[in-house]
């Protein structure tokens, strides 16, 4: 399904859009490009002067007056060497800067997307575009600069060839039109093949990432062979594109490889006859050979042109992400308030179906509200709207009377805290992971939040305690989930949203955490997705969602009279979240606010 979504979206971005991205990237690199251009220009001038200097030096040696000519030749060689060195260093800076710029722009844009836009492409596909495609596109400014220099060098070489011996120049020009036709067909044929190759490569990376994320399920299910087959299925397309690329290269390369020597041999025959007739000096023969080699240099830039074709395809894939609409940040501060949350005619759709349909809901400040409902009811979608991790297609979400779309991001992140079912702990060690987003918090505040989430004793038992690296901490799923709860609690926000954040806790620990939510966080607004009757029973009010609409609202005791409501809990906790809703909105798929 993600592959289909990716292919559908790919059609919205053209090659011209990718070319505009490359041009914009080049404009932002004017300083290193200017230095590189100056060095390349100097190197090109030295290269154009070199055959003539060599010819003069040879003729001077033959005539016994070669000292001055030899000095000029040495100077030309020294200038060429220095220019090449400076150009190489500046070129490396240019390429690194272009790649870094593209990656920074890509990452910044990705982190501004809402949950719906962020999941348009799988994580593996996004990683492929961030790492591989940006590297390919980042080489383009330098490649185009060297290609332009080569065209200038080629043109200059042809002119100097005509000046040195016009007969040799005419012999050279006879074969150029044929070479141009071959190169044009070659590059055109490969441009489309590169796009197919990169698309298949991205799908392969996406499937591999998904499988690695669920490696325990694969091993427990004994489906490794089947999963390998699924992951490697894009290899067929990758192989087809690769073979098409090789066939195109083989067809073009042998034609070019055959044509170039023919042109040069023809030129040398004409020039050799000129030496035999006394029309040319021996040194001039060397000059003709040198300028002929420079004249065919543009054909030898086929590899560079292929790199440009690959980069254009890569830029188009990058642009497909950059055109996804980000959340437009608000600019207004959030007024002081107790945390009153309101939904006004809120509608959210996905793939033509309603996740939420014209929801009107007011949540009074300071209350604990439990969201309940069957799979696909819209619980996590509503939770995402509460902190503007997602924007509705229609309607408004207000916090203390202010539309969240108008609130500045820094104000909103300080007012709303989230805890997720599968928390991703960023920041380094466990203390930094709990204080993530609030680096100025002292260790006492971090420990207090950990105690409130009933994970302080777990952390203290670790050899390094709060200094334990989060990535390697030997913790269970429930213990990681409690760390996520501590991260939410340490923020002391006016609104705290728990998106199925207690699903991995045992009954006793959940009861302790629920007691903290009920009593320890009294006075703040709390929105909790509940799958257990005990959690709903402790809430001040329950909002019962079904099919994207509010089916009931009231206390757990009052709603318990409805047999359909009882049936929500008779099957026990929903282990997988909302298949049509909750399982799609995970913290990993919502980079806008971790």
């Amino acid at each position: 399904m993600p592959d289909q979504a990716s292919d559908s979206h790919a059609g919205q971005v053209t090659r011209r859009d990718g070319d505009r991205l490359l041009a914009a990237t080049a404009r932002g690199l004017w300083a290193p490009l200017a230095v590189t251009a100056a060095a390349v220009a100097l190197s090109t001038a030295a290269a154009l002067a070199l055959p003539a200097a060599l010819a003069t030096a040879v003729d001077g040696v033959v005539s016994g007056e070669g000292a001055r000519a030899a000095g000029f030749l040495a100077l030309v060689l020294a200038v060429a060497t220095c220019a090449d060195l400076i150009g190489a260093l500046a070129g490396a800076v240019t390429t690194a800067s272009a790649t870094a710029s593209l990656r920074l722009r890509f990452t910044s844009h990705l982190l501004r997307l809402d949950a719906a836009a962020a999941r348009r492409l799988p994580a593996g596909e996004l990683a492929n575009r961030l790492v591989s495609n940006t590297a390919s596109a980042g080489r383009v400014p330098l490649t185009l600069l060297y290609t332009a220099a080569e065209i200038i060098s080629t043109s200059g070489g042809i002119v100097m060839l005509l000046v040195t011996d016009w007969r040799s120049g005419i012999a050279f020009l006879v074969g150029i039109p044929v070479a141009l036709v071959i190169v044009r067909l070659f590059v055109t044929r490969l441009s489309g093949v590169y796009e197919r190759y990169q698309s298949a490569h991205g799908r392969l990376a996406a499937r591999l990432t998904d499988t690695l994320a669920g490696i325990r399920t694969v091993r427990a299910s004994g489906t490794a062979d089947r999963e390998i087959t699924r992951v490697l299925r894009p290899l067929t397309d990758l192989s087809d594109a690769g073979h098409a690329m090789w066939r195109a290269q083989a067809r073009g390369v042998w034609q070019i490889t055959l044509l170039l020597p023919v042109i040069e041999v023809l030129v040398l025959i004409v020039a050799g006859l000129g030496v035999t007739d006394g029309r040319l000096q021996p040194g001039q023969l060397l000059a003709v050979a040198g300028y002929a080699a420079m004249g065919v240099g543009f054909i030898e830039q086929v590899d560079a042109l292929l790199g440009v074709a690959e980069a254009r395809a890569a830029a188009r894939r990058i642009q497909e992400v950059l055109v996804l609409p980000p959340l437009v940040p608000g600019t207004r501060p959030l007024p002081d308030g107790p945390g009153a949350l309101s939904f006004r005619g809120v509608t959210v759709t996905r793939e033509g179906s309603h996740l939420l349909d014209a929801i009107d809901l007011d949540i009074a400040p300071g209350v604990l509200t439990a969201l309940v409902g069957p799979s696909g009811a819209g619980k996590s979608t509503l939770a995402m709207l509460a902190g503007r991790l997602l924007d509705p297609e229609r309607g408004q979400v207000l916090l203390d009377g202010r539309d969240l779309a108008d609130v500045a991001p820094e104000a909103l992140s300080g007012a709303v805290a989230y805890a997720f079912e599968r928390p991703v702990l960023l920041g380094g060690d466990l203390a930094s992971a709990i204080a993530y987003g609030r680096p100025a918090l002292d260790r006492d505040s971090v420990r207090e939040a950990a105690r409130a989430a009933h994970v302080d004793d777990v952390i203290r038992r670790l050899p390094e305690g709060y200094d334990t690296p989060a990535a390697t901490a030997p913790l269970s799923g429930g213990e990681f989930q409690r760390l996520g709860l501590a991260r939410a609690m340490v923020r002391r926000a006016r609104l705290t949203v728990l998106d199925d954040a207690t699903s991995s806790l045992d009954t006793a620990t959940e009861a302790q955490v629920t007691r903290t939510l009920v009593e320890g966080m009294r006075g703040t607004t709390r929105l909790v997705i509940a799958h257990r009757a005990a959690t709903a029973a402790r809430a001040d009010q329950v909002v019962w969602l079904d099919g994207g609409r509010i089916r009931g609202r009231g206390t757990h005791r009052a709603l318990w009279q409805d047999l359909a409501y009882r049936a929500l809990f008779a099957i026990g906790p929903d282990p997988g979240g909302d298949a049509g809703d909750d399982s799609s909105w995970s913290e990993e798929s919502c980079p806008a606010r971790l």
Side-chain angles (χ1 to χ4, degrees), residues 328-335 388 397 399 402-413 415:
V328 179
T331 58
R332 302 178 65 185
L334 193 64
R388 210 197 170 198
V397 183
L399 184 60
R402 180 66 49 82
D403 190 335
L404 295 187
D406 297 331
V407 179
E410 59 274 11
L412 189 58
S413 63

Side-chain angles (χ1 to χ4, degrees), residues 348-517:
V348 177
T349 61
R350 187 175 73 213
E351 297 177 359
S353 61
H354 287 294
L355 298 181
L356 293 175
D357 188 7
I359 293 292
D360 286 303
L361 176 64
D362 289 307
I363 297 177
V367 304
L368 172 59
T369 300
L371 297 177
V372 303
S375 175
K379 302 184 296 297
S380 280
T381 302
L382 193 69
M384 290 293 167
L385 291 170
R388 210 197 170 198
L389 300 185
L390 182 70
D391 270 347
E393 278 82 3
R394 293 190 298 276
Q396 291 179 304
V397 183
L398 301 97
L399 184 60
D400 289 319
R402 180 66 49 82
D403 190 335
L404 295 187
D406 297 331
V407 179
E410 59 274 11
L412 189 58
S413 63
V416 183
Y418 273 94
F420 297 95
E421 178 185 5
R422 295 182 294 274
V424 177
L425 301 180
L426 306 174
D429 57 33
L430 293 180
S432 300
I434 294 174
Y436 186 72
R438 297 291 184 273
L441 282 176
D442 55 55
R443 186 60 64 89
D444 290 338
S445 298
V446 170
R447 287 173 177 160
E448 181 182 349
R451 284 193 293 271
H454 299 277
V455 74
D456 175 67
D457 58 332
V458 175
I459 297 175
R460 288 179 180 274
R461 286 197 298 268
L462 297 174
E464 297 180 73
Y466 281 86
D467 296 321
T468 301
T472 59
L475 302 175
S476 68
E479 289 164 345
F480 267 109
Q481 203 165 67
R482 277 183 272 169
L483 284 169
L485 287 167
R487 182 177 61 184
M489 292 175 177
V490 79
R491 301 171 78 91
R492 301 182 183 277
R494 69 178 79 176
L495 171 63
T496 300
V497 182
L498 275 65
D499 187 353
D500 206 15
T502 61
S503 61
S504 297
L505 305 183
D506 58 77
T507 303
T509 304
E510 186 187 27
Q512 294 174 328
V513 171
T514 302
R515 188 177 303 113
T516 300
L517 292 174

